[in-house]
């Protein structure tokens, strides 16, 4: 049995609504060009600027993207 290897990119986000589409596009372009199987997991750390909506939209539009949301800011560390 062979296993499919891939990469999981964890993208911590706090009030990054404006930047998320560009960052996700760049990651997808670079990993796609390299021919790698990958997923991008956007972790919204309790944002209050629309990051939740943008992350959800990106997950809906791209099968490689997942969105996770924390209800309050927990911090990146």
């Amino acid at each position: 049995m062979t296993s499919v290897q891939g990469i999981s990119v964890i993208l911590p986000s706090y009030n990054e609504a404006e930047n998320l589409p560009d960052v996700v596009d760049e990651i997808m372009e670079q990993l796609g060009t390299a021919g790698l199987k990958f997923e991008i997991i956007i972790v919204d750390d309790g944002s209050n600027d629309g990051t939740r909506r943008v992350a959800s939209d990106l997950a809906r539009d791209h099968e490689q993207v997942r969105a996770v949301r924390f209800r309050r800011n927990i911090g990146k560390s």
Side-chain angles (χ1 to χ4, degrees):
M1 175 194 309
T2 61
S3 63
V4 177
Q5 295 191 5
I7 295 174
S8 293
V9 177
I10 309 299
L11 190 55
S13 303
Y14 180 72
N15 292 338
E16 296 289 343
E18 187 175 316
N19 299 318
L20 272 179
D22 291 337
V23 171
V24 168
D25 285 347
E26 183 67 25
I27 293 168
M28 291 183 68
E29 181 180 335
Q30 295 300 318
L31 294 177
T33 299
L36 298 170
K37 181 179 170 112
F38 65 92
E39 67 178 346
I40 301 169
I41 303 169
I42 301 169
V43 180
D44 174 14
D45 194 18
S47 299
N48 55 23
D49 74 336
T51 295
R52 176 184 184 186
R53 178 188 47 79
V54 172
S56 294
D57 289 349
L58 288 165
R60 182 192 66 231
D61 295 343
H62 304 285
E63 66 181 55
Q64 303 93 335
V65 178
R66 310 281 181 266
V68 176
R69 178 178 182 256
F70 295 150
R71 291 180 187 193
R72 62 179 181 85
N73 181 262
I74 296 172
K76 293 183 182 179
S77 56

